[in-house]
Amino acid sequence: MSLNKGVRNQIISSLIATLGAMVMGTILGWTSPAHELLASGVGFSITVDDLKSFGSIFGIGAVFGALPAGKISAMIGRRYSMVLFEIFVIIGWIFLTMATDSWMLMAGRIIQGIGVGALCTIIPSYVAEISQPHIRGTLGTIFQVYVVIGILYSFVVGSVVKYTTFNVFCGIWTILHVVLTFFIPESPYYFLYMNKDENAHASMSKLRDGNDADIASELNEIKREIELQKSNQDTFIKVMANKVNRKSLLIGIGCMFFQQISGINAIIFYMGYIFNKIGSSITTNTSVIAVGIVQLVMTFVAMTIVDKAGRRVLLIISAVVMSLSFFGLGLYLHMSNAFNKDSIFSWLPLILIALYISAFSLGFGPIPWVVMGEIFSNECKPYGTSLATAANWILVFAVTFLTFVATDSIGFLGLFWMYSLFCALGALFVWYMVPETKNKSLNEIQLKLTGNNNSPASNNDV
């Protein structure tokens, strides 16, 4: 099926904007190869505590990047905001590459965190604002696809080159993103918000293949929404006095909360440790490669079906299957003494973790980013996207750090069953709180949050 010019331009613009997620993936994946490369790559000693800090401190930087990003993108635009915060990432790569002491490595990771935390806030909003409803979910899942590709890219490159070359090869994606961002249109929402109607029309013309009447109608709808929101716009407290804004904030932060409390980073970061502890005969390298391939494939699957199946159903299926997978891992551990390590049952941990990763990649991996780009009104977006992204990164740090603490007190059996419970609670949260947003304009989503279901797409709800 051929694509019209407008859809092609939306896809191309989304692919370019979302290169920031590829940058994020390379930075997340940097930690594992760097553990091996740093010893010979820098001219000073690195302690075990340093290595742990390099991995976790990144999340703290991301929080400080996410909080102001929404406001900054509202003031200077989505494109220039992406460029601004990619400069932070470039400075971070320079610190990591030119480091003469461990504090420079720490500073580099924090500065990179600031840049990536902001990009995670800005990019989903941009993609949601330029996309037509029938492809917005698909374009939104590109974010997670790029993250997974970036992580695998870091693992592969880090295994064949030395430290400085590794940093350069990862940093190339940051430069590429900065350059290409100047070739995509600014969000029409931003132009209308700044009362630049002619710029908004020019931008929308590049992103649509309809006639002037169609474009004018869409712009008028957006403008009415913005004017209504501007009339109510004020401080954070006054914005949050609106019941719909409070509900959208709860949904955005809630999706991010359950994304991280599902235990994904505990599984990814400590996979080898977990396999050793639960007595699997599968080697760490085999498990990491297998899980990485599964994650990439299933994220692509999510991208192809999210606008057909809908957000809610994929989130609920994702949470239920993750819950069952963790319960199965706990049950395996509980009954592990009954299994011979060389028997066919030794494959169960890998199968269950692959099933868990598949479910995460199908739902709670990509879709919270899609929902975050869709759920907030224009007046709430600077606060909502920043707070939801900041909450995500706080939880990345907390869950990763607290996993070892939890295993000391409740063991892996308790840890797996605790995550199983959290995943089940995530399914309930989606069932009761998250509206279906597929095939709906951003204005229709706001109407749905108010309880007004008299929109053209209301028959497509799950």
Side-chain angles (χ1 to χ4, degrees):
M1 183 179 67
S2 62
L3 300 175
N4 65 47
K5 180 182 176 182
V7 171
R8 285 200 304 272
N9 286 344
Q10 290 171 57
I11 293 171
I12 292 169
S13 297
S14 297
L15 286 169
I16 291 173
T18 316
L19 270 175
M22 177 77 177
V23 171
M24 172 182 164
T26 60
I27 294 171
L28 287 173
W30 178 89
T31 305
S32 182
H35 283 187
E36 301 294 330
L37 297 173
L38 277 168
S40 59
V42 296
F44 52 91
S45 60
I46 302 292
T47 68
V48 174
D49 287 338
D50 287 335
L51 292 173
K52 291 179 180 178
S53 298
F54 299 151
S56 61
I57 202 69
F58 168 79
I60 300 300
V63 173
F64 287 101
L67 288 173
K71 274 290 186 182
I72 291 173
S73 71
M75 290 188 294
I76 68 173
R78 288 29 163 178
R79 290 192 312 155
Y80 290 142
S81 297
M82 292 182 214
V83 173
L84 172 64
F85 285 105
E86 282 288 25
I87 292 172
F88 279 82
V89 177
I90 292 170
I91 294 171
W93 283 123
I94 292 171
F95 267 75
L96 293 178
T97 305
M98 308 297 291
T100 57
D101 199 278
S102 59
W103 74 263
M104 291 185 70
L105 294 173
M106 199 78 71
R109 291 291 285 174
I110 293 173
I111 295 169
Q112 285 183 330
I114 292 171
V116 166
L119 290 171
C120 288
T121 303
I122 299 162
I123 292 170
S125 294
Y126 174 83
V127 172
E129 288 173 352
I130 69 167
S131 305
Q132 290 174 284
H134 69 284
I135 59 170
R136 191 173 59 237
T138 299
L139 298 183
T141 56
I142 295 172
F143 190 94
Q144 186 69 13
V145 172
Y146 268 138
V147 171
V148 175
I149 293 174
I151 292 172
L152 291 177
Y153 174 86
S154 287
F155 286 162
V156 172
V157 173
S159 67
V160 296
V161 300
K162 294 185 178 180
Y163 178 73
T164 299
T165 307
F166 175 47
N167 289 341
V168 171
F169 273 50
C170 288
I172 285 172
W173 293 101
T174 310
I175 303 295
L176 184 63
H177 187 218
V178 169
V179 172
L180 291 178
T181 296
F182 287 100
F183 294 92
I184 61 176
E186 178 57 83
S187 165
Y189 274 77
Y190 167 72
F191 281 134
L192 288 176
Y193 186 79
M194 301 300 290
N195 296 315
K196 297 180 178 180
D197 292 19
E198 290 185 6
N199 298 81
H201 189 278
S203 176
M204 188 67 85
S205 296
K206 294 177 183 178
L207 296 164
R208 300 292 184 267
D209 197 34
N211 57 43
D212 281 347
D214 294 333
I215 292 171
S217 175
E218 186 173 358
L219 288 173
N220 286 334
E221 181 182 349
I222 296 169
K223 192 169 185 178
R224 283 195 299 271
E225 178 191 350
I226 290 173
E227 288 173 351
L228 177 63
Q229 292 162 358
K230 274 186 174 181
S231 67
N232 299 321
Q233 190 171 24
D234 215 311
T235 64
F236 173 74
I237 292 175
K238 290 188 177 180
V239 169
M240 287 302 116
N242 184 303
K243 181 180 178 181
V244 174
N245 288 341
R246 291 199 303 273
K247 184 176 181 180
S248 65
L249 186 63
L250 175 61
I251 292 168
I253 292 179
C255 286
M256 293 301 184
F257 174 83
F258 285 107
Q259 181 193 67
Q260 293 303 324
I261 209 67
S262 69
I264 181 61
N265 283 312
I267 290 290
I268 295 295
F269 291 171
Y270 303 129
M271 193 180 304
Y273 182 81
I274 289 171
F275 270 89
N276 289 333
K277 280 291 182 181
I278 62 181
S280 173
S281 63
I282 312 303
T283 66
T284 299
N285 284 341
T286 300
S287 65
V288 169
I289 292 170
V291 168
I293 292 171
V294 167
Q295 187 174 16
L296 181 59
V297 170
M298 293 307 297
T299 306
F300 271 113
V301 171
M303 185 172 70
T304 62
I305 67 174
V306 65
D307 280 317
K308 298 181 179 69
R311 283 55 151 167
R312 288 183 78 243
V313 67
L314 290 180
L315 285 171
I316 291 169
I317 291 172
S318 172
V320 169
V321 175
M322 287 192 296
S323 180
L324 293 173
S325 300
F326 269 126
F327 185 82
L329 281 168
L331 196 62
Y332 174 88
L333 191 61
H334 182 64
M335 302 176 62
S336 59
N337 291 334
F339 300 138
N340 186 316
K341 191 173 182 179
D342 295 325
S343 73
I344 192 173
F345 291 106
S346 66
W347 284 84
L348 273 176
L350 177 58
I351 293 170
L352 288 168
I353 288 178
L355 183 64
Y356 164 83
I357 291 291
S358 297
F360 178 84
S361 302
L362 191 66
F364 265 96
I367 293 178
W369 298 108
V370 176
V371 171
M372 189 183 77
E374 297 175 326
I375 204 70
F376 298 115
S377 65
N378 207 64
E379 64 169 346
C380 185
K381 190 170 293 182
Y383 302 111
T385 55
S386 294
L387 288 172
T389 306
N392 183 284
W393 285 109
I394 290 170
L395 287 161
V396 169
F397 174 79
V399 171
T400 305
F401 179 78
L402 292 175
T403 293
F404 275 125
V405 177
T407 54
D408 288 339
S409 57
I410 61 177
F412 270 99
L413 175 62
L415 183 73
F416 292 151
W417 283 351
M418 179 183 73
Y419 282 142
S420 178
L421 174 62
F422 278 126
C423 291
L425 291 174
L428 292 175
F429 172 81
V430 174
W431 180 264
Y432 287 106
M433 292 300 301
V434 180
E436 181 53 68
T437 59
K438 73 170 182 175
N439 296 332
K440 287 182 168 57
S441 71
L442 299 184
N443 186 51
E444 288 170 346
I445 292 169
Q446 291 304 305
L447 289 173
K448 187 170 179 63
L449 288 171
T450 66
N452 183 351
N453 293 324
N454 297 322
S455 64
S458 60
N459 292 330
N460 294 323
D461 295 354
V462 171

